[in-house]
C-alpha cells in the first residue's frame, strides 16, 4: 500500500487532500461564473485535465504548473495555477522564480488585450499580487519551515548520538576503573591465598592436610584464571560481541564438581548425554548457578549431600541443585548478593530462576534456560 502512496510520503491523508483539492478546483471551475458566458469548445476538457493534473503536484510540480499555464487559453480559471505555484514554491524553494516567470509569461499573453481598457493596469497588478505573489510566498514559507524542521531533526539526532557516545565512554571508563580495582585488590588477595596454600601443601604434617592445601591452591589458581578472563572482558571486549555455541562450558561442570568434592563435600552430578549445544551466555550462566549453589550449600548446610542435575526437556534446559537443610551453618561471611546476582545472570541469559525450600526439608535452586532455536 505504501508503495502506491510514494508520491504522498506513504500517507493516505495527503492523497485524500490532493483528491479533494482537484475535485474542488474542477467543480468551482465548471459551476462558477455566469452560465451565459460562452466558453471555448475545449473548456471542459481543459478544466478536467488541469484539475486531475493537480494529483501529481507533489511529484512533478513544474509539470503541473506548465499544464495549468497551457490550459489558460481555453478559459480555465486561475485556481489550478494558484495551487501549482504553491506546490512549486513549497517543493523547490527559491528556484520557484523560474516558475513565476513562466506564470507571468502565460498570464501576460491573456491580459494584454485587457490593458487597452482604462484602469486595467491596476486590475492586472491586483491579479498578479493575489494569484501569483500570494501562493509563491505561502509556498516559500512552507519550504523554509520544512527545511528548518529538517535541520532541527538532524541536530536532535546528532545530540542523541553524542549523548550515546558520551555514555558509552563513561561506561567504558567505569569498567576500566572496576578492572583496576579488581586487579589491585581481589587478584592480590587470591594470589596470596594460592601462594600460602602451595607452601602449606609442601610442608603439610600429614597427607590429608596436604591434599586440602593442594585443593585450595588449585581452586585459587582457577579463580585467578577466571578473574583474568573477567578483567579482559571489562577492559577490551566490545559490547554485543557474538558468542560461540557449544557444550564447552557445560563440560567444565565435572571439573567444578570434582574440585568441590575434593574438599570433602558430597556432590552428585547428573548430566545429559550428549550435552546440549547452548549459547556462551547460557553456558556461563549455568556454570555460575551451579558454582554459587555449591558455595551456598557449603556455607549454610556443611556436610550435607548436594545433588546437581541437568535435564533437557523440549527446548528448555533445566538446572536443579538441591541439598538437605541442616541446623548448623558456617561462619564464612557472605556478600549477601549471591542469589540476586544469580537471578540477574539467569535473566540476562533469557532464563528464569526459582529458589527456596521444597517442603520436604530440602533447599532447591531451579533455573531454566532456552536451548535450540528459541535462544
Amino acid at each position: 500500500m505504501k508503495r502506491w502512496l510514494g508520491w504522498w510520503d506513504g500517507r493516505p491523508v495527503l492523497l485524500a487532500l490532493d483528491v479533494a483539492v482537484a475535485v474542488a478546483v474542477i467543480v468551482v471551475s465548471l459551476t462558477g461564473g455566469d452560465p451565459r458566458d460562452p466558453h471555448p469548445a475545449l473548456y471542459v476538457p481543459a478544466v478536467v485535465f488541469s484539475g486531475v493534473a493537480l494529483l501529481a503536484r507533489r511529484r512533478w510540480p513544474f509539470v503541473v504548473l506548465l499544464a495549468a499555464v497551457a490550459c489558460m487559453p481555453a478559459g480555465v480559471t486561475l485556481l489550478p495555477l494558484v495551487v501549482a505555484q504553491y506546490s512549486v514554491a513549497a517543493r523547490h524553494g527559491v528556484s520557484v522564480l523560474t516558475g513565476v516567470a513562466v506564470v507571468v509569461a502565460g498570464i501576460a499573453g491573456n491580459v494584454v488585450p485587457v490593458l487597452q481598457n482604462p484602469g486595467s493596469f491596476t486590475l492586472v497588478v491586483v491579479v498578479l499580487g493575489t494569484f501569483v505573489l500570494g501562493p509563491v510566498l505561502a509556498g516559500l514559507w512552507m519550504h523554509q519551515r520544512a527545511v528548518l524542521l529538517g535541520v532541527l531533526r538532524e541536530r536532535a539526532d546528532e545530540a542523541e548520538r553524542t549523548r550515546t557516545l558520551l555514555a558509552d565512554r563513561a561506561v567504558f571508563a567505569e569498567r576500566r576503573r572496576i578492572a583496576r580495582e579488581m586487579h589491585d585488590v581481589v587478584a592480590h588477595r587470591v594470589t596470596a591465598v594460592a601462594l600460602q596454600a602451595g607452601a602449606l601443601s609442601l610442608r603439610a604434617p600429614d597427607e590429608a592436610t596436604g591434599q586440602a592445601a593442594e585443593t585450595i591452591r588449585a581452586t585459587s589458581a582457577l579463580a585467578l584464571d577466571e578473574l583474568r578472563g573477567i578483567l579482559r572482558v571489562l577492559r577490551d571486549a566490545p559490547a554485543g560481541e557474538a558468542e560461540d555455541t557449544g557444550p564447552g562450558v557445560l563440560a567444565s561442570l565435572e571439573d567444578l564438581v570434582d574440585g568441590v568434592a575434593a574438599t570433602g563435600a558430597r556432590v552428585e552430578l547428573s548430566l545429559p548425554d550428549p550435552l546440549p549445544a547452548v549459547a556462551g551466555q547460557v553456558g556461563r550462566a549455568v556454570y555460575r548457578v551451579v558454582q554459587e549453589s555449591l558455595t551456598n550449600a557449603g556455607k549454610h548446610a556443611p556436610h550435607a549431600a548436594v545433588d546437581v542435575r541437568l535435564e533437557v526437556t523440549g527446548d528448555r534446559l533445566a538446572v536443579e541443585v538441591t541439598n538437605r537443610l541442616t541446623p548448623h551453618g558456617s561462619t564464612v561471611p557472605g556478600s549477601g548478593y549471591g542469589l540476586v546476582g544469580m537471578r540477574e545472570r539467569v535473566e540476562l541469559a533469557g532464563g528464569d530462576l526459582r529458589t527456596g525450600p521444597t517442603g520436604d526439608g530440602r533447599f532447591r535452586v531451579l533455573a531454566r534456560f532456552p536451548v535450540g532455536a528459541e535462544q
Side-chain angles (χ1 to χ4, degrees):
M1 181 64 179
K2 290 185 177 181
R3 184 181 63 181
W4 298 101
L5 296 176
W7 293 4
W8 298 274
D9 298 331
R11 299 168 60 184
V13 64
L14 296 181
L15 172 60
L17 175 63
D18 286 351
V19 171
V21 170
V23 172
V25 168
I26 294 174
V27 171
V28 171
S29 298
L30 293 179
T31 60
D34 191 346
R36 294 174 298 179
D37 292 341
H39 293 294
L42 296 178
Y43 177 74
V44 174
V47 168
V48 174
F49 173 75
S50 61
V52 173
L54 294 178
L55 296 176
R57 67 187 183 91
R58 298 182 187 273
R59 183 64 178 272
W60 298 300
F62 270 117
V63 175
V64 175
L65 179 63
L66 293 176
V69 173
C71 292
M72 290 183 62
V76 177
T77 63
L78 295 177
L79 290 179
L81 194 65
V82 170
V83 177
Q85 291 176 95
Y86 168 83
S87 302
V88 171
R91 178 70 179 273
H92 299 285
V94 293
S95 59
V96 71
L97 297 177
T98 304
V100 172
V102 173
V103 171
V104 172
I107 294 179
N110 293 318
V111 300
V112 166
V114 181
L115 293 176
Q116 300 175 357
N117 300 325
S120 59
F121 181 77
T122 303
L123 177 62
V124 171
V125 172
V126 172
V127 169
L128 292 177
T130 303
F131 294 99
V132 177
L133 186 61
V136 168
L137 292 179
L140 289 176
W141 181 82
M142 289 298 297
H143 178 76
Q144 290 302 116
R145 178 177 179 273
V147 171
L148 178 60
L149 290 177
V151 172
L152 294 178
R153 192 175 297 109
E154 290 180 359
R155 289 183 179 179
D157 294 340
E158 181 65 24
E160 183 64 24
R161 288 191 295 269
T162 302
R163 189 181 303 111
T164 302
L165 179 60
L166 293 177
D168 291 341
R169 289 181 177 177
V171 170
F172 183 70
E174 182 65 13
R175 287 171 59 174
R176 293 185 67 88
R177 187 190 68 80
I178 295 174
R180 288 194 301 269
E181 293 296 327
M182 291 180 64
H183 177 271
D184 296 340
V185 179
V186 181
H188 173 74
R189 299 299 184 184
V190 176
T191 301
V193 171
L195 293 176
Q196 293 176 11
L200 178 59
S201 65
L202 295 176
R203 302 175 183 177
D206 52 63
E207 184 178 355
T209 303
Q211 291 180 353
E214 179 61 23
T215 300
I216 296 174
R217 187 202 63 78
T219 303
S220 300
L222 180 61
L224 284 173
D225 290 338
E226 294 179 350
L227 181 59
R228 189 179 300 110
I230 294 174
L231 294 178
R232 187 180 303 112
V233 170
L234 287 175
R235 287 181 177 274
D236 304 323
E241 187 178 50
E243 298 177 342
D244 296 333
T245 299
V249 181
L250 299 184
S252 61
L253 289 176
E254 295 183 355
D255 296 333
L256 173 63
V257 171
D258 291 341
V260 175
T263 63
R266 292 178 294 166
V267 184
E268 182 178 349
L269 175 64
S270 176
L271 296 176
D273 187 19
L275 290 174
V278 297
Q281 187 177 21
V282 173
R284 284 191 290 271
V286 172
Y287 186 91
R288 296 306 178 190
V289 166
V290 175
Q291 184 183 50
E292 183 66 23
S293 300
L294 292 176
T295 302
N296 291 340
K299 289 192 299 184
H300 302 292
H303 311 299
V306 182
D307 183 25
V308 180
R309 185 179 301 274
L310 272 68
E311 293 181 347
V312 178
T313 304
D315 56 357
R316 307 291 288 182
L317 170 64
V319 182
E320 185 180 29
V321 183
T322 58
N323 63 272
R324 185 163 297 279
L325 297 172
T326 61
H328 305 289
S330 174
T331 59
V332 178
S335 64
Y337 297 102
L339 293 180
V340 175
M342 189 190 306
R343 187 178 303 278
E344 291 176 350
R345 183 180 288 273
V346 170
E347 291 179 352
L348 286 175
D352 59 88
L353 178 71
R354 297 180 183 179
T355 61
T358 60
D360 58 352
R362 301 177 67 83
F363 188 88
R364 181 179 68 172
V365 175
L366 178 61
R368 295 187 178 92
F369 300 91
V371 296
E374 185 177 334
Q375 72 185 356

